[in-house]
Amino acid sequence: MESLEKMYIDGQWVSALAGKTRNIINPADGCVIATVVEGAAEDAQLAVAAAKRAFYEDGWMETPPVERARLMFALADALEQRTDKFAKLETLNNGKALREAECDVGDAAACFRYYAGLATKPHGQTYDVVDPMQTLVVREPIGVCGQIVPWNYPLLMAAWKLGPALAAGNTVIFKPSELTPLTAIKLFELIEAVGYPKGVANLVLGAGNTVGQEIAKNYDIDKVAFTGGTTTGRSIMMAATGNIKNISLELGGKSPNIIFADADFEAAVDWTLFAIFINQGEVCSAGSRLLIEESIHDEFIERLVERTKKIKVGPGLEEGVEMGPLISETHMNRVLDYVELGKKEGAKLMCGGQRILGDGLEKGYFVEPAIFTNTTPDMRIVQEEIFGPVLVVQKFKDEKEAIALANNTIYGLAGGVFTQDGAKGLRVIKKLRAGITWINAYNPTYNEAPWGGYKQSGIGRELGTFGFEEYTEVKQININLDPSPIGWFKN
Ligand code: TXE
């Protein structure tokens, strides 16, 4: 990368007005891999002014859907052609295993393609109301949208946010996490190269409490969309009240993965590993609570522990590595603190939970995947999002208890059920207070289907037609087909 990576505001690559910079760290070895400019509120304000002008004055709001589709298909192609480069950069910055980063690039390109296609599809409704009136309902872009994303899926979250917003005709101020801005910077180079008009898509780099807060509170931003922790989501929601912004929030989770005794044993073990340990457990929808039927508990845990111990942890770019480092030293310590807390609360640590210091990994933020049994529902490790490779196990006797335990947190993002009884699977899923669910699987995600949570896991949905609609306002147009006087007032 070049020595100093800049922000993209109003079609220009710019430094921060205050001249600040930030070092970006490789979590696998703690080394600086790039220096980027560090924006602040005033930089975000410039981006907002550009986005507002691009929307209202430069004509982006009237750009035909077919043109928005053309640009986005071109962006998807450009990204896909550089899969290798983007995947390696993502792994370098985020830590995740390269095979996961490669999936993320493919998924991001597919997301752009999905929304490019959706841009030109029918979105309105018509009603034959009372003669001679005709009512049309049209969807229009909301306007200027602020988008704030976290560090766990930097590129993919950029696609989930930019895809629907730009396809629907909005202009955007996008803020990646200050820890992982590198693939977003490269993505904006492609946005420039494929020819998006200036001011339509702006990239502002900086911290949450400066740039992020400005995006949340700025009066000229019509909508704010956020993915991240529930605490941060709450503060964004409060900051957004000033001008009654439209809000979408995709927040934390503590999602149940429920295994019944009649499940296919080996398949359930395998999916359980995938549910919690993919992406180092830094996944909002992670199956971080394993709910297991009492009669198979011991046998299941034995097998799960055996397989967990074999997960190959190491630098994501290394051949054969299955799990990378956590994102930062701060986050690693937060996860390790939860492991200590779990022990103090009386849970039994069956494996893992230590920082890995040998094998040349001591400079990185590597943590062994951990499993806690003997938990009680009120323990903090059972209730709070750890956002790392830590699985907590809860035992249940029957279907009723499984459902009660599953729903017993403030969250409601995701959940899975494993059983060979199809009716039971659906019965349990229908009782789960969660927005994303699976039967005999956990975690696969599709651009076509809505993504988001119940309860304190968020507001609104991403992906699918639902995600597109979140970036539109709805207008009714009532047309009098016989424009004669109404004659209500007689004189
Ligand atoms: O994320 P934050 P953090 C959870 C997870 C994790 C915890 C804290 O439990 O341990 O959150 O992680 C921006 N106004 N998740 O602190 O704060 C920030 O710059 C506006 C769940 O790293 O949520 C970044 O761009 N913006 C999760 C983004 O918010 C603010 C993903 C995410 O950061 C801001 C990540 C503010 N006041 C963490 N403060 C998920 N559900 O996917 C921060 N930001």
Side-chain angles (χ1 to χ4, degrees):
M1 301 199 75
E2 287 166 21
S3 54
L4 181 64
E5 297 287 334
K6 296 186 174 172
M7 301 184 273
Y8 187 66
I9 297 177
D10 204 9
Q12 304 288 324
W13 291 96
V14 296
S15 294
L17 289 171
K20 287 199 177 154
T21 61
R22 172 191 291 268
N23 286 336
I24 302 302
I25 306 294
N26 175 358
D29 60 13
C31 291
V32 174
I33 47 171
T35 305
V36 305
V37 304
E38 170 80 0
E42 64 263 26
D43 301 289
Q45 286 158 7
L46 287 181
V48 175
K52 195 175 168 189
R53 193 207 63 237
F55 185 76
Y56 290 104
E57 293 168 32
D58 300 353
W60 179 251
M61 71 185 284
E62 278 114 31
T63 306
V66 70
E67 171 62 4
R68 290 185 235 137
R70 187 190 67 78
L71 286 165
M72 197 161 284
F73 277 125
L75 180 61
D77 290 347
L79 176 60
E80 197 174 55
Q81 283 155 16
R82 294 160 181 80
T83 299
D84 199 38
K85 183 177 152 196
F86 270 86
K88 285 192 177 126
L89 189 59
E90 193 76 316
T91 290
L92 199 63
N93 194 171
N94 163 278
K96 64 178 71 192
L98 187 59
R99 65 175 177 168
E100 292 188 24
E102 285 164 353
C103 290
D104 290 358
V105 182
D107 289 349
C111 178
F112 283 130
R113 280 201 187 103
Y114 174 82
Y115 282 111
L118 202 59
T120 57
K121 302 302 175 286
H123 298 293
Q125 297 175 349
T126 66
Y127 302 107
D128 292 326
V129 282
V130 179
D131 188 52
M133 299 300 291
Q134 171 80 60
T135 296
L136 312 181
V137 178
V138 295
R139 288 196 173 268
E140 299 181 341
I142 295 175
V144 177
C145 298
Q147 305 185 312
I148 303 170
V149 302
W151 40 259
N152 57 339
Y153 285 91
L155 179 70
L156 189 59
M157 289 304 102
W160 285 24
K161 292 279 183 289
L162 295 167
L166 296 173
N170 300 277
T171 57
V172 165
I173 295 99
F174 179 81
K175 190 194 100 58
S177 164
E178 57 275 33
L179 302 177
T180 54
L182 300 186
T183 47
I185 294 170
K186 293 294 153 201
L187 182 68
F188 271 77
E189 288 179 9
L190 300 183
I191 285 175
E192 180 186 33
V194 301
Y196 274 90
K198 64 177 187 165
V200 168
N202 303 277
L203 171 71
V204 182
L205 305 176
N209 58 6
T210 55
V211 174
Q213 271 299 296
E214 180 58 31
I215 288 174
K217 72 171 198 244
N218 191 291
Y219 267 52
D220 286 327
I221 294 185
D222 304 297
K223 176 190 174 90
V224 61
F226 169 74
T227 298
T230 294
T231 309
T232 308
R234 199 172 280 118
S235 87
I236 287 177
M237 202 171 170
M238 287 196 284
T241 57
N243 66 332
I244 317 288
K245 275 189 187 60
N246 180 312
I247 307 178
S248 299
L249 301 173
E250 203 269 85
L251 307 176
K254 191 76 182 177
S255 300
N257 179 21
I258 307 169
I259 317 280
F260 284 98
D262 64 2
D264 178 317
F265 187 88
E266 282 301 327
V269 170
D270 196 56
W271 280 101
T272 298
L273 294 170
F274 189 68
I276 177 64
F277 296 129
I278 188 174
N279 212 49
Q280 303 81 239
E282 296 168 331
V283 182
C284 54
S285 57
S288 51
R289 287 186 297 140
L290 173 66
L291 272 57
I292 182 127
E293 194 163 351
E294 212 168 42
S295 59
I296 58 163
H297 176 276
D298 294 354
E299 192 191 351
F300 196 92
I301 297 303
E302 192 184 329
R303 180 79 178 119
L304 193 66
V305 167
E306 182 191 330
R307 288 202 54 191
T308 299
K309 284 180 175 166
K310 290 185 186 149
I311 292 176
K312 186 160 167 30
V313 185
L317 288 175
E318 229 168 66
E319 184 71 31
V321 159
E322 296 175 313
M323 204 173 101
L326 297 182
I327 188 65
S328 65
E329 188 167 12
T330 309
H331 188 57
M332 174 187 70
N333 288 333
R334 189 157 42 194
V335 171
L336 293 173
D337 286 350
Y338 269 113
V339 173
E340 286 312 305
L341 175 69
K343 291 189 222 161
K344 276 199 207 101
E345 286 183 309
K348 185 170 174 196
L349 184 61
M350 302 299 291
C351 64
Q354 298 291 316
R355 180 175 184 183
I356 304 175
L357 291 168
D359 299 335
L361 300 184
E362 49 285 340
K363 289 194 183 136
Y365 315 126
F366 296 93
V367 173
E368 297 165 349
I371 299 175
F372 274 112
T373 58
N374 285 26
T375 64
T376 54
D378 56 325
M379 287 180 179
R380 283 182 55 202
I381 59 159
V382 174
Q383 291 295 326
E384 297 176 15
E385 183 177 52
I386 299 175
F387 219 63
V390 182
L391 178 67
V392 298
V393 181
Q394 299 179 270
K395 245 189 234 180
F396 65 85
K397 281 193 206 59
D398 55 21
E399 197 176 316
K400 192 163 169 237
E401 191 186 11
I403 293 162
L405 287 172
N407 287 327
N408 180 30
T409 74
I410 60 165
Y411 297 111
L413 191 56
V417 175
F418 286 80
T419 170
Q420 298 200 53
D421 175 344
K424 180 160 71 179
L426 190 54
R427 206 160 57 224
V428 171
I429 285 291
K430 288 189 78 170
K431 295 241 167 66
L432 274 194
R433 303 298 294 163
I436 309 156
T437 65
W438 297 273
I439 298 178
N440 294 325
Y442 200 104
N443 265 339
T445 306
Y446 305 99
N447 288 318
E448 294 80 0
W451 180 272
Y454 288 22
K455 302 198 281 183
Q456 293 187 36
S457 289
I459 299 177
R461 294 292 179 271
E462 302 196 86
L463 298 182
T465 53
F466 297 85
F468 186 89
E469 287 173 1
E470 297 272 343
Y471 284 94
T472 63
E473 288 282 14
V474 177
K475 179 183 281 176
Q476 56 166 295
I477 305 174
N478 299 294
I479 309 160
N480 186 352
L481 300 177
D482 178 15
S484 53
I486 188 169
W488 184 267
F489 296 103
K490 300 300 174 201
N491 298 302

